Amino acid sequence: MSSTILLSRGRVVDPRNGVDGVRDVLVRDGTIAEVSEAPLKVQDARVVDATGKLVLPGFIDLHVHLREPGEEGKETILTGCMAAVAGGFTAVVAMPNTKPVNDSVLVSEYVKAKAREARLCHVYLAGAITKGLQGEEMAEMGALVGAGCVCITDDGRPVMNAGLMRRALQYAQLFNLPVMVHEEDLTLSGKGVMNEGRASTRLGLTGIPPSAEVAMVARDMVLLEETKGRLHVAHVSCEGSVRLIREAKRRGLNVTAEATPHHFILDDEAVGAYDTHARMNPPLRTRRDIEAVREGLVDGTIDAIATDHAPHGVLEKQVEFDKAWNGVVGLETALGLTLSLVREGVMSLQRAVALLTDGPARAFGLAGGHLAAGAPADITVVEPEAEWTVDSARFFSRSRNTPFHGRRLTGRVAQTWVSGRLVFEDGQIKESR
């Protein structure tokens, strides 16, 4: 294959560089060489006709569970990367709640080796804040950074010890490292399994009040202001959380945040008749919370859309609701669900693209997220008007746990390019091992 590729006459939307219009994109040796409003003629280039398609920076997902090592029956790094590129993601950040936990150089090196073997998308590492995610003793942060970790997080476990959280925020500054947090006060959430409200009362299920999240956001904003650290709030789900993050940003605190498609699309009524595919943590909230999260996405309070892609086996979901595992897969549905906000008039296409590209890149200081000359040739080509129906049986992910099975979506990934290599096209993985 030629190392020179010309993506011709697509609508390039590149929020960081203020580009929205028909352009030619020239790629040489894995990097963007030129983005031209005038048609280019380049000898020996492979020409890809992108007429009628969107040519976007490759999507970046800050919050993905690849399950390897330890739970390869749910997902492997290879199948997770396949799901990523099928969803238009050219980079993912792998969470540390593997078995064993990624709290050591050994596990980090294992994940990196598997990612190189998969050879599909960029896989960045998140290391644990505390050893074994136990919330008791800090992991070796310097070693994790040396092994390539781009953030630290205890993922789905909150750091309940405020003193330990304070020290983590202080120590992470030595490495300019974001501390990513799952905000949940366990004394408030208790044994809750869904949002506390009318739906939980109707179903007779124990609820989790919004204060379980909001109280922890408030605590961490206090710690952030005192330490001057760098905080990233994962999967924001509550109106109160959005308000606190907005206020913190106005006061100049170094905080970023993400929201997931399931939290800005579905409310707690989606639990319906005990549908375990709608069980997640934080839980689905109310319509009012959804509107607040959407407002946060639009006004910049929330910086990125992340999927919290969390594969689970069939037997972990086909049980009573209160016994089911939390989480949904999301890499292959994120684009269509995000574009539904554009179709509803909630946000512009440019803002939606920014939330999938520039926003996450800036939040963690990652390469990519834009298409300026010299940037990595990580590109997602989208058919914006293509309609399709979510069929979980056709996922590249090894797991099928999604509440969106059967939903009609508009907007489909046509091609995914990573470092100038075509890795996904028209429903097929083009390169792997």
Side-chain angles (χ1 to χ4, degrees), residues 5-24:
I5 300 109
L6 181 63
L7 295 164
S8 173
R9 301 291 90 193
R11 178 184 171 186
V12 175
V13 180
D14 178 5
R16 183 183 300 186
N17 296 300
V19 176
D20 184 354
V22 174
R23 300 285 191 278
D24 278 6

Side-chain angles (χ1 to χ4, degrees), residues 248-314:
K249 284 193 168 186
R250 283 176 180 163
R251 289 188 289 117
L253 302 190
N254 196 353
V255 57
T256 55
E258 67 183 40
T260 71
H262 45 272
H263 284 118
F264 62 68
I265 295 289
L266 300 176
D267 65 18
D268 53 0
E269 294 292 341
V271 173
Y274 306 96
D275 181 1
T276 56
H277 286 149
R279 179 168 178 182
M280 51 206 71
N281 191 18
L284 300 174
R285 302 289 187 181
T286 66
R287 291 306 305 178
R288 184 169 176 170
D289 292 304
I290 288 176
E291 293 306 320
V293 169
R294 289 180 172 191
E295 288 174 11
L297 289 165
V298 171
D299 71 11
T301 301
I302 298 172
D303 305 82
I305 290 173
T307 67
D308 192 8
H309 179 81
H312 288 302
V314 173

